[in-house]
């Protein structure tokens, strides 16, 4: 979270504890809000699963796949991303 100092002072002069805050999704490892969502899903699954989780298979060609790859790496899990055959080469790279 980042405090917007000048805006906070303009709207709430003299308030040193409150203010206006902004969530910076661009500071997530993958640069999107999906990092937070995927991490939450994985942590819940690891905590509540009756089975031992060894990996994830995700059908994605975008930021969700990148988020899953990062979370799996951090949790020492295998990751396989399945991409449609007609996906553009630039997205795959």
């Amino acid at each position: 979270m980042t405090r917007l100092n000048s805006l906070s002072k303009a709207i709430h002069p003299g308030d040193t504890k409150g203010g206006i805050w902004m969530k910076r999704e661009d500071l997530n490892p993958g640069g999107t809000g999906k990092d937070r969502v995927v991490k939450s899903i994985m942590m819940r699954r690891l905590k509540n699963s009756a089975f031992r989780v060894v990996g994830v298979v995700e059908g994605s060609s975008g930021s969700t796949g990148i988020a899953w790859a990062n979370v799996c790496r951090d949790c020492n899990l295998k990751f396989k991303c399945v991409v449609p055959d007609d996906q553009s080469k630039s997205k795959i790279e």
Side-chain angles (χ1 to χ4, degrees):
M1 299 291 286
T2 301
R3 186 171 193 268
L4 302 175
N5 290 325
S6 59
L7 190 57
S8 295
K9 288 177 186 176
I11 294 174
H12 302 287
D15 182 3
T16 58
K17 294 183 180 179
I20 299 179
W21 294 79
M22 174 178 77
K23 187 184 293 187
R24 296 282 312 270
E25 299 290 8
D26 62 312
L27 298 177
N28 289 336
T32 72
K34 293 183 181 171
D35 297 332
R36 185 173 28 84
V37 173
V38 167
K39 182 177 180 181
S40 173
I41 292 168
M42 179 57 78
M43 294 301 111
R44 217 171 331 129
R45 177 61 55 216
L46 291 173
K47 181 179 177 184
N48 300 324
S49 182
F51 302 99
R52 185 170 70 94
V53 178
V54 296
V56 172
V57 177
E58 169 71 15
S60 176
S61 61
S63 57
T64 304
I66 293 168
W68 275 111
N70 287 332
V71 168
C72 287
R73 180 200 59 223
D74 294 346
C75 294
N76 293 316
L77 298 171
K78 295 177 184 179
F79 176 70
K80 178 85 169 185
C81 188
V82 181
V83 181
D85 291 338
D86 61 348
Q87 189 62 53
S88 68
K89 187 176 179 181
S90 62
K91 270 216 153 183
I92 294 171
E93 294 172 345

